[in-house]
């Protein structure tokens, strides 16, 4: 598959200098930008999936009339996090 390029963007010279100042050893600005874009794409995809699951859950709750109190959900989540922490150590 052929590669493609992102459109060029104009930035202030100071911003470019800041970006270059945080590059890792042997890291290029292009590689840094590619990583940043890939991470942003993944984060947005996860946000989109999260919202879709939440909306689907709302539809199901409205359809079934089965709702869960936020306090109960938080309590269960905290218990799962605590159990996961114990299993790690």
């Amino acid at each position: 598959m052929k590669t493609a390029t992102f459109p060029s963007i104009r930035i202030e010279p100071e911003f470019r200098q800041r970006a270059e100042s945080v590059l890792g050893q042997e890291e290029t600005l292009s590689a840094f930008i590619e990583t940043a874009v890939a991470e942003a794409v993944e984060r947005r995809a996860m946000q989109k999936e999260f919202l879709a699951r939440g909306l689907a859950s709302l539809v199901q709750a409205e359809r079934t009339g089965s709702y869960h109190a936020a306090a109960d959900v938080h309590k269960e989540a905290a218990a799962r996090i605590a159990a996961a922490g114990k299993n790690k150590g």
Side-chain angles (χ1 to χ4, degrees), residues 46-59:
M46 287 190 298
Q47 288 172 339
K48 186 176 180 179
E49 292 168 9
F50 176 79
L51 288 173
R53 287 193 314 270
L55 291 172
S57 178
L58 174 62
V59 168

Side-chain angles (χ1 to χ4, degrees), residues 26-82:
E26 305 294 322
E27 182 180 30
T28 65
L29 188 54
S30 293
F32 176 79
I33 292 169
E34 181 180 5
T35 299
V37 170
E39 290 173 354
V41 167
E42 183 62 27
R43 184 174 51 256
R44 293 223 180 155
M46 287 190 298
Q47 288 172 339
K48 186 176 180 179
E49 292 168 9
F50 176 79
L51 288 173
R53 287 193 314 270
L55 291 172
S57 178
L58 174 62
V59 168
Q60 181 179 356
E62 289 173 340
R63 183 176 48 79
T64 64
S66 176
Y67 293 87
H68 301 279
D72 294 339
V73 174
H74 293 162
K75 187 175 178 180
E76 182 178 336
R80 286 183 182 192
I81 291 169

